[in-house]
Amino acid sequence: MKGKYKMGFGHRIEELDYLRGVALHGIVLVNILPLLELGMPKAGSLDAAYWRLLYLFVEGRFYTIFTFLFGVGFYIFITRGNEKGKNGVVLFLRRIVALFLFGLVHVKFHPGEALTVYAICGLLLLPFYKVNKVMNLFLGLSMLIIFSMFSFKLFLVIPIMLLGISAGQFRLFEKLSEKKKGIAIFTGIMFVLSIAGLLYQYQYAPFIIEERLEMEIRSSQEFVRIGIIIGPIVSAFYVGLLVLLLQYRFIQKLLSPLKSYGRMALTNYMMQTVIILVAGNGFHLIGNISLIHSFFICLMIYVIQLSFSVIWLRYFYYGPLEWTWRAITYLQIPPLLNQMGDRLSGD
């Protein structure tokens, strides 16, 4: 078991990078569908089974993790800035302005993108940085339950991000090797609840697929509604399981490319869209492939981006867009060339 994870916010919390990497893997599986304008699968086909699996295990699950991590990073970034003697709030404001600008570019090619939403929600939640951690936890859970019950999917960003802020305040991701028993209990509870929720949701899974995704969703409102309700529970199980596994050195080494992938989350998130659209237009894939084909395209994207991330970070401190983001945030040119090997600290 590894004891090297750093205490406090002075060093990079590596588990968060692994989690970001996993979240991005799930997000692209869903985002590729509208980007390539894929139609609905035929009833009884392999595509139909794959569509149901996506809505049971992927849709809304990994986006939730990514949103939660933004909240955690929100708190860590401001706290770390203040600890360095800088105005963390001012730095954060520059940071989300830059994020919003990235999002404005991205949304022209991917209308369902998350960066502009994160920037706006980050601004709205800024006052909660100084709110008591217990209050943030209570407000986050309360809003999450209410919005989930009423299937307000877009509104879930606020409470999930607020729970991330609360997690940062409670310093949940520090000294994780000392919290292994608690993580195991939490993961076990989330596993039981996830299985129960997924079995219940599966009862409403559509087996007669119409021609258009929108029509099928409207005719299967209960299936989608239940998926929204149990989504955060399934996401919590995924997070708990990965964090628990990462307490073992073998797993860390096995999944180490995910850490590099997560460290370059902004670059990889936007490049997913670029790769999909370039391939879609260049090879005439838009509207002409099946859902299963989209899965194999995602596998190729994984190979390309994981390899690129590992190689890039051998020579550079930051990903290309992360470097640009940092330059705008601090109003100075940060070092890029890495002459010391893998860097352990930073934000």
Side-chain angles (χ1 to χ4, degrees), residues 74-295:
F74 172 123
Y75 181 80
I76 293 176
F77 179 84
I78 295 178
T79 300
R80 187 173 290 163
N82 291 337
E83 289 176 351
K84 292 178 179 178
K86 300 176 182 179
N87 190 323
V89 172
V90 172
L91 291 176
F92 181 75
L93 287 173
R94 289 193 204 127
R95 188 173 177 83
I96 60 172
V97 168
L99 187 67
F100 185 77
L101 294 177
F102 283 129
L104 285 181
V105 175
H106 193 215
V107 77
K108 293 181 180 297
F109 303 95
H110 181 25
E113 74 92 36
L115 302 182
T116 50
V117 175
Y118 283 3
I120 294 171
C121 291
L123 182 61
L124 293 176
L125 288 174
L126 185 56
F128 290 87
Y129 173 77
K130 293 186 177 181
V131 173
N132 179 271
K133 58 186 178 182
V134 176
M135 180 59 67
N136 278 339
L137 177 62
F138 173 76
L139 289 174
L141 286 174
S142 299
M143 287 191 292
L144 181 63
I145 293 172
I146 293 172
F147 293 158
S148 295
M149 294 302 295
F150 287 95
S151 302
F152 295 150
K153 185 177 178 181
L154 181 61
F155 294 164
L156 291 177
V157 174
I158 291 287
I160 292 170
M161 201 173 286
L162 185 56
L163 288 174
I165 294 172
S166 177
Q169 292 175 311
F170 278 101
R171 296 179 178 263
L172 291 184
F173 289 94
E174 290 186 59
K175 306 180 186 178
L176 286 173
S177 61
E178 300 175 12
K179 302 174 182 177
K180 186 178 176 182
K181 183 177 180 180
I183 297 170
I185 293 173
F186 170 82
T187 304
I189 294 173
M190 291 301 105
F191 173 72
V192 172
L193 293 176
S194 296
I195 292 297
L198 288 170
L199 288 174
Y200 181 64
Q201 183 188 6
Y202 185 74
Q203 297 181 59
Y204 296 90
F207 287 89
I208 300 177
I209 308 294
E210 302 294 339
E211 293 183 358
R212 291 183 59 82
L213 178 62
E214 293 80 6
M215 293 175 61
E216 180 58 22
I217 289 179
R218 285 197 295 269
S219 67
S220 310
Q221 291 182 354
E222 192 66 11
F223 176 71
V224 176
R225 188 183 73 84
I226 296 171
I228 293 174
I229 293 173
I230 70 172
I233 297 174
V234 178
S235 300
F237 166 66
Y238 290 165
V239 170
L241 179 62
L242 181 59
V243 170
L244 186 62
L245 292 174
L246 286 173
Q247 302 317 300
Y248 298 93
R249 189 180 298 273
F250 168 74
I251 300 297
Q252 295 165 20
K253 292 182 178 179
L254 181 66
L255 301 180
S256 60
L258 280 176
K259 181 174 68 173
S260 299
Y261 196 63
R263 281 181 61 182
M264 293 173 53
L266 178 61
T267 295
N268 285 319
Y269 176 67
M270 295 187 70
M271 284 305 297
Q272 285 177 354
T273 301
V274 173
I275 294 171
I276 291 170
L277 291 179
V278 169
N281 287 282
F283 296 98
H284 306 288
L285 304 178
I286 297 179
N288 295 319
I289 63 172
S290 67
L291 297 189
I292 289 298
H293 289 149
S294 76
F295 172 72

